[in-house]
Structures are given as structure tokens and as C-alpha cells.
Amino acid sequence: MKEISSLLGYRDSIRVVDATLRDGGLCNDFYFTDSFVKDLYQANIDAGVDYMEVGYKASKKMFDVKKFGKWKFADDDDILKVIGENSEKKVKLAAMADVGRCDFKEDIHDRANSPLDLIRVACYVHQIAGAIEMIEDAKKKGYEVTCNIMAISTAQEGDIRVALDMLGHSPVDTIYIVDSFGSVYPEQMQRIAYLYKEYADKYQKKLGIHAHNNQQLAFANTIEAVGDGVDWLDGTYNGMGRGAGNCSMENLLGFLHNPKYHVYPVLKFIEKHMLKLKKDGIMWGYDLQYLVTGLLNQHPRTAIAFTNDKREDYAEFYNEMIAQE
């Protein structure tokens, strides 16, 4: 159990990142209306959110632009059209770039010529060398940079240590713990956070947490990470995100005791936009099929297929997944 001062107080180093457009975009192929994005931007300002992730910097050579909404590619011009070129930017803007899925040298422009402030490099533990190349490129262009090491629940501790040491020698600002499969329990999160903090302290890096909700533990794991010294916290409005979704922004801001954060604008946005998305048939959030993949520490792609096929034979799905073990 954490010291009460770790949970009841607040620290100025906390940063809240809204990942609704990016992780939520995986639910609807990034087809958000401009009014949705404008209202989300304003809601983040009113709620005191520090960063808003506006989507991916995905390669147009690899992904068909006709099959996805514009936030899959987060072009600078599209961001400016929605946010406004002349508006005073009160929330910093971020985009995610996946190793091997981004033409970063061409598509990520110098920060002086871009509305973006932060590049979030995402990779698996075996892709650290490629991630560092992207991190160095983004830093040279003037950005703040994070590295999100995905699917950490499937990695060996020795590999994680090597990756963290390599990142320690890189110019990355913040290193993220990412529970991609929603498989981690809070007591495991504590051990993972302590492992990451060993290297973060050694190399003077910040730590972040991005949690998925397969076992309804995204919020719990985020709270655990906060108490363990993790400062950068991802959330999404109404928990919207791939499969079971993410730590809910409304939960997160309600938990943090810094008076700069406000829940009311988040609830208003959910009323206006998120409920409509669900009524329109966009699906995300905890369900039994996501619990199964979380329990088995498996990628949720099979659970997503189960959902899309409108199956309800959960016990048979569990047997199918067990057979793959």
C-alpha cells in the first residue's frame, strides 16, 4: 500500500495526456468529425489536460488513405485546419509514430514548422534500435519525445533492462510503461515501475503509463504507477480505445488532486460526443472476450474479431484461446 501522501497530495511533475483521437481512432478507423476534434481540444483546455494526442504519423505508402480518416496520418495542415492557425495553443499537441510504420524523415517536419510539440515513438522491445533512430531524428527537429515500449507483459526482464539502458543513453525525455494486452495486475505494475525507475533515475528520464482495460484494471494500474513515481499519465474520454479501451479520463482527473484538473468539461464532452459514438455502433470497453485475452496475456485481435462477428459463445472462445497456448 502506498503512503497516503503519495495518493492524497499532488505533485507538479504530473502530466496528463489525452489519447482519445489516437487510441480511440483504432475503434472507428480514425473517422472523427472536425467538430468532434474541435470540441475535444476545447474540453482538454477546460479540463486542464496537458497534452492532446491527435493521431498517428502513419506511412501513406503502407496504409491506404482512402480506408482511414485523416487522424491516422495527422498531417500538419489537417491539424491546423481544425485547431486553428491563429489560436493560442493552451494544450500541447502530440502524435504517435510506430517503428516500421512511419516515414518519419519526410512526414515529421521541424517543430518550428509544425503544430506538434511531442512525438511519441512506439515500438516493441526488440525494435529499440529503430526507436532510437526515430528519437534522435525527432529531437534534432526540436520535439519533446517519449518512447512507448509496447506489450511489456510479454517481454523478458533481461531484454527490458537492455532496452532501458539503451534508451537511457538516448535523448528521449520520457519512457512509457505500456500494458498493451491489459494483462498486468497492480502488484506487477509496482515491480515494473520500480524496474523502470531504476533506469529513469540513473539517466534522469521521466516515466509514463499507458494502460488497457481488459481486466478492468487500467485505472487501478495507473493509480499504482502514480504512487510509484510515474508522472506521465495517459487517459481517454469514456475510456475509448482499442478493444477494452484505456484508463478513463474522467476517472483519472477525478483521482488527481491537483486543482488545475477539472472533471466537468470531460463529462460534458462525453454527453455530447461519446454517447453518440456508441449509439452509432462504435464499440469499445470491457467485455468478456477482452477479459479472456487479458487473462491469457494475448493480443486482443482475436477478441476484436469475436466482437465484430457478434459472437456470444464466451466459454467456447476461452477454449479456443486456451488451445493456442
Side-chain angles (χ1 to χ4, degrees):
M1 183 65 69
K2 298 290 168 289
E3 291 291 332
I4 240 163
S5 60
S6 296
L7 298 180
L8 292 185
Y10 73 86
R11 56 184 187 266
D12 292 334
S13 55
I14 291 290
R15 297 291 181 269
V16 173
V17 180
D18 167 36
T20 306
L21 276 188
R22 200 271 309 164
D23 213 323
L26 295 167
C27 303
N28 67 348
D29 290 331
F30 303 89
Y31 284 110
F32 295 103
T33 65
D34 286 356
S35 62
F36 180 101
V37 179
K38 287 180 180 179
D39 287 353
L40 180 61
Y41 179 67
Q42 187 60 51
N44 280 324
I45 291 172
D46 296 340
V49 169
D50 300 285
Y51 291 81
M52 174 176 164
E53 193 174 37
V54 295
Y56 279 103
K57 280 287 189 182
S59 170
K60 294 178 183 178
K61 300 170 187 173
M62 295 181 65
F63 299 96
D64 188 345
V65 296
K66 297 177 182 178
K67 294 182 179 179
F68 298 96
K70 57 191 172 186
W71 306 108
K72 174 79 169 179
F73 309 98
D75 287 342
D76 289 351
D77 289 344
D78 288 329
I79 298 169
L80 288 169
K81 285 176 185 175
V82 176
I83 302 301
E85 292 190 43
N86 299 317
S87 63
E88 181 185 353
K89 194 165 61 175
K90 298 180 180 178
V91 174
K92 290 186 174 183
L93 300 181
M96 180 165 281
D98 280 347
V99 172
R101 297 182 178 183
C102 174
D103 303 314
F104 62 94
K105 292 182 180 179
E106 295 83 21
D107 292 341
I108 298 177
H109 306 135
D110 287 346
R111 184 179 181 182
N113 302 317
S114 172
L116 295 172
D117 304 281
L118 169 68
I119 300 298
R120 285 162 44 107
V121 176
C123 67
Y124 293 100
V125 70
H126 67 276
Q127 297 174 315
I128 286 295
I132 290 173
E133 181 186 16
M134 293 174 66
I135 290 164
E136 290 174 344
D137 180 79
K139 287 301 289 186
K140 286 177 182 177
K141 291 173 178 174
Y143 292 97
E144 299 173 62
V145 187
T146 71
C147 184
N148 293 35
I149 308 176
M150 299 182 290
I152 205 66
S153 59
T154 64
Q156 298 293 320
E157 180 178 328
D159 293 338
I160 296 172
R161 286 186 176 276
V162 171
L164 292 174
D165 195 61
M166 291 172 68
L167 286 173
H169 286 94
S170 82
V172 74
D173 299 296
T174 304
I175 303 170
Y176 260 81
I177 302 165
V178 184
D179 180 20
S180 302
F181 299 169
S183 298
V184 173
Y185 294 98
E187 60 269 25
Q188 294 172 303
M189 180 57 66
Q190 180 185 56
R191 295 195 296 271
I192 293 168
Y194 286 172
L195 170 60
Y196 274 59
K197 199 168 188 303
E198 176 186 338
Y199 290 87
D201 290 347
K202 178 179 179 180
Y203 294 108
Q204 297 183 313
K205 308 295 185 183
K206 292 288 188 180
L207 292 180
I209 171 74
H210 180 89
H212 278 261
N213 205 39
N214 297 61
Q215 299 187 86
Q216 301 198 84
L217 290 172
F219 178 48
N221 281 326
T222 302
I223 289 176
E224 174 62 47
V226 172
D228 296 327
V230 174
D231 283 330
W232 284 56
L233 315 174
D234 282 15
T236 63
Y237 282 60
N238 208 203
M240 186 184 188
R242 183 200 64 197
N246 304 94
C247 176
S248 296
M249 184 67 75
E250 56 273 22
N251 283 123
L252 179 57
L253 297 190
F255 164 76
L256 295 172
H257 300 285
N258 189 331
K260 70 172 283 193
Y261 298 123
H262 308 284
V263 175
Y264 180 81
V266 178
L267 298 178
K268 290 295 290 183
F269 182 87
I270 290 171
E271 283 181 21
K272 182 177 180 180
H273 288 287
M274 308 308 287
L275 298 184
K276 183 179 184 304
L277 287 181
K278 288 206 165 185
K279 287 178 182 176
D280 290 343
I282 307 302
M283 292 182 290
W284 72 87
Y286 169 81
D287 210 336
L288 291 175
Q289 61 270 32
Y290 297 115
L291 169 66
V292 169
T293 58
L295 286 172
L296 299 177
N297 195 19
Q298 294 184 6
H299 194 289
R301 62 174 63 91
T302 51
I304 293 171
F306 179 100
T307 304
N308 292 338
D309 291 341
K310 302 187 185 315
R311 290 176 59 180
E312 294 182 345
D313 52 334
Y314 300 105
E316 178 58 29
F317 178 68
Y318 178 76
N319 282 339
E320 291 171 9
M321 295 300 99
I322 286 289
Q324 296 179 18
E325 289 282 281

